[in-house]
Amino acid sequence: MKETANTAASPRYPIGDLARRTGTKVQTIRYYESIGLLPEPARTAGNQRVYRQDQLDRLSFIKHARDFGFPLDAIRELLEMTDKPAASCAEADEIVSRHLGEVQRRIGSLQALEGELARMLESCSHGTVADCRVIGVLSDHEKCDATSHEPVETMPYRSTD
């Protein structure tokens, strides 16, 4: 990677500093590079990654968008828009609108799950496992009192990077 006068004078961050400054794990940074969300950094003579301020800013954007639950494809689209600052933000609005709809759908599913779990506990006689309402409902989906028998999508495990 050829350095210009502008890039040579800008702050440089080793991957560990970049990780600390953004609250992102080193492995996650490498992953974002491998899928093209974050450009490959320059390398030192010792082959260590060295990041510029614009890469730190981009990673901060990605991290913040992930904190809002945006999928990587949506983040990629949003990042592409940042290259065209004079363009309309209608596409960004559409991405956020789609994401909001998905969040609202998940909230509805979680509220249905909350209701069913509360009903399971309320109807349990707290006797033996053989008569346990919780075990019975989990063993036979037809015993659910919920109006919707759609499985609730569980939230995937997300690290706190």
Side-chain angles (χ1 to χ4, degrees):
M1 170 182 267
K2 186 177 176 185
E3 291 190 13
T4 64
N6 287 343
T7 58
S10 69
R12 311 290 268 178
Y13 307 99
I15 196 166
D17 284 353
L18 190 73
R20 277 187 294 284
R21 287 174 179 269
T22 60
T24 307
K25 294 181 180 174
V26 168
Q27 299 91 323
T28 303
I29 296 170
R30 289 181 183 140
Y31 174 69
Y32 290 158
E33 288 172 18
S34 74
I35 63 170
L37 278 183
L38 195 62
E40 289 284 331
R43 299 249 181 191
T44 66
N47 204 31
Q48 292 181 325
R49 291 172 166 89
V50 183
Y51 299 86
R52 300 178 316 266
Q53 182 64 45
D54 63 320
Q55 291 168 309
L56 183 143
D57 295 342
R58 186 176 179 99
L59 181 58
S60 294
F61 180 97
I62 295 167
K63 170 76 165 90
H64 197 200
R66 291 298 287 158
D67 289 346
F68 272 92
F70 281 96
L72 293 176
D73 287 340
I75 294 171
R76 185 181 310 279
E77 290 178 66
L78 292 165
L79 285 167
E80 288 170 5
M81 284 180 236
T82 64
D83 294 333
K84 304 173 226 157
S88 166
C89 69
E91 191 177 342
D93 293 346
E94 175 58 30
I95 291 168
V96 172
S97 180
R98 282 192 320 254
H99 186 57
L100 176 60
E102 178 60 22
V103 167
Q104 289 168 333
R105 186 195 66 75
R106 283 190 207 155
I107 289 171
S109 293
L110 288 170
Q111 286 172 330
L113 174 61
E114 176 186 38
E116 186 60 33
L117 291 171
R119 281 187 289 281
M120 286 168 54
L121 280 176
E122 289 168 8
S123 63
C124 188
S125 63
H126 308 293
T128 64
V129 170
D131 299 320
C132 182
R133 174 76 176 158
V134 172
I135 300 296
V137 170
L138 292 175
S139 299
D140 183 358
H141 195 60
E142 295 300 318
K143 293 181 181 175
C144 289
D145 293 334
T147 55
S148 170
H149 289 288
E150 289 183 33
V152 175
E153 178 183 326
T154 57
M155 298 297 287
Y157 172 75
R158 282 190 12 148
S159 64
T160 57
D161 64 339

